[in-house]
Amino acid sequence: MKGLLLELPLTAYEEVHVLQKRLVAERASGRLDRDVVIIVEHPAVYTLGKRGGRENLIVSEAFLAEKGISVVQTERGGNITWHGPGQLVAYPIVHLEKARMGVADFVEFLEGVMVKTLASLGVTARGDEVNRGAWVGAAKIGSVGIRVTEGVSFHGLALNVAPDLTCFSWINPCGLTISITTAEKELGHKVSMEMARVEMKQKFADLFSDGLSEVTLADLGCEW
């Protein structure tokens, strides 16, 4: 069966979060009969996981408010992270039982999507069974954090293609004192976000026996 692909432009995190929860409910109930992969970029925002993360903010929330950056609590696993322009984010709404995947298998698949996307761009990366995500040497280039509700996964992955890393310097990403890198930094030249989207779509298509079919918000019966 084909999966569904919803590509969005730069869109506020909170709006896509609401959309995810709606699609999860519809997938769990059967009203939505296929899995959906959302690919998007967000304006700058910090998100907190189930393990919290405010303690890993190096700057004050008042400082962030002055910068127009919000801090949002979420249901996903993990700690604090940042999303923003130049970072490619994917939210796969997948019924794991029907996909015949366990949570660990699915997280490994998401790491693989990032590693393979990076390879297509010319960057050699790896996953990590202890500190999940995508890594180039000791530097983190992509994050994974999911939540499973009624057997359906949401949240997902965030891959640093070409973001400004300044905002990462204001946190301990994922609760760790680590270096953060990007595809552009590793390659030493500009990387097209459009090319990164194309490559990531191809890697997600491997999850479905008949690939992905592109849809719009209207096709899904959703409006902002």
Side-chain angles (χ1 to χ4, degrees), residues 14-104:
E14 294 87 341
E15 292 182 354
V16 183
H17 189 204
V18 170
L19 174 62
Q20 285 187 77
K21 291 193 287 187
R22 174 175 175 175
L23 294 176
V24 167
E26 293 187 357
R27 188 71 179 105
S29 71
R31 291 193 301 274
L32 179 62
D33 65 356
R34 287 190 278 175
D35 297 326
V36 181
V37 177
I38 302 170
I39 293 182
V40 65
E41 289 176 71
H42 295 304
V45 62
Y46 291 105
T47 65
L48 307 172
K50 290 187 294 184
R51 287 187 283 164
R54 276 188 168 85
E55 71 282 3
N56 285 304
L57 268 174
I58 296 172
V59 297
S60 70
E61 291 191 45
F63 171 85
L64 295 178
E66 290 178 2
K67 300 288 186 182
I69 304 175
S70 57
V71 180
V72 179
Q73 181 66 56
T74 78
E75 318 88 341
R76 65 165 170 77
N79 204 284
I80 192 169
T81 195
W82 173 85
H83 300 306
Q87 183 190 74
L88 194 54
V89 181
Y91 300 118
I93 314 299
V94 174
H95 196 299
L96 294 180
E97 182 178 352
K98 292 181 179 178
R100 298 178 182 175
M101 298 183 80
V103 172

Side-chain angles (χ1 to χ4, degrees), residues 41-170:
E41 289 176 71
H42 295 304
V45 62
Y46 291 105
T47 65
L48 307 172
K50 290 187 294 184
R51 287 187 283 164
R54 276 188 168 85
E55 71 282 3
N56 285 304
L57 268 174
I58 296 172
V59 297
S60 70
E61 291 191 45
F63 171 85
L64 295 178
E66 290 178 2
K67 300 288 186 182
I69 304 175
S70 57
V71 180
V72 179
Q73 181 66 56
T74 78
E75 318 88 341
R76 65 165 170 77
N79 204 284
I80 192 169
T81 195
W82 173 85
H83 300 306
Q87 183 190 74
L88 194 54
V89 181
Y91 300 118
I93 314 299
V94 174
H95 196 299
L96 294 180
E97 182 178 352
K98 292 181 179 178
R100 298 178 182 175
M101 298 183 80
V103 172
D105 295 330
F106 189 61
V107 169
E108 186 174 337
F109 170 78
L110 295 180
E111 287 180 330
V113 166
M114 292 191 290
V115 169
K116 291 174 185 177
T117 299
L118 288 165
S120 298
L121 299 174
V123 178
T124 300
R126 59 177 175 81
D128 191 303
E129 293 182 358
V130 177
N131 293 310
R132 305 313 302 235
W135 299 78
V136 178
K140 195 166 192 180
I141 196 169
S143 299
V144 174
I146 69 168
R147 172 69 182 263
V148 179
T149 298
E150 297 184 74
V152 179
S153 74
F154 64 123
H155 295 286
L157 64 83
L159 181 62
N160 295 333
V161 179
D164 179 343
L165 293 178
T166 301
C167 290
F168 277 111
S169 70
W170 298 337

Side-chain angles (χ1 to χ4, degrees), residues 146-211:
I146 69 168
R147 172 69 182 263
V148 179
T149 298
E150 297 184 74
V152 179
S153 74
F154 64 123
H155 295 286
L157 64 83
L159 181 62
N160 295 333
V161 179
D164 179 343
L165 293 178
T166 301
C167 290
F168 277 111
S169 70
W170 298 337
I171 61 172
N172 293 319
C174 306
L176 303 172
T177 305
I178 55 174
S179 297
I180 299 293
T181 192
T182 72
E184 280 198 350
K185 184 177 178 180
E186 294 302 315
L187 293 169
H189 60 71
K190 291 288 185 182
V191 177
S192 162
M193 289 301 294
E194 184 57 38
M195 180 183 296
R197 281 178 177 248
V198 168
E199 295 297 341
M200 184 173 284
K201 285 188 290 185
Q202 292 176 351
K203 307 314 179 267
F204 266 111
D206 293 342
L207 182 62
F208 307 97
S209 57
D210 295 317

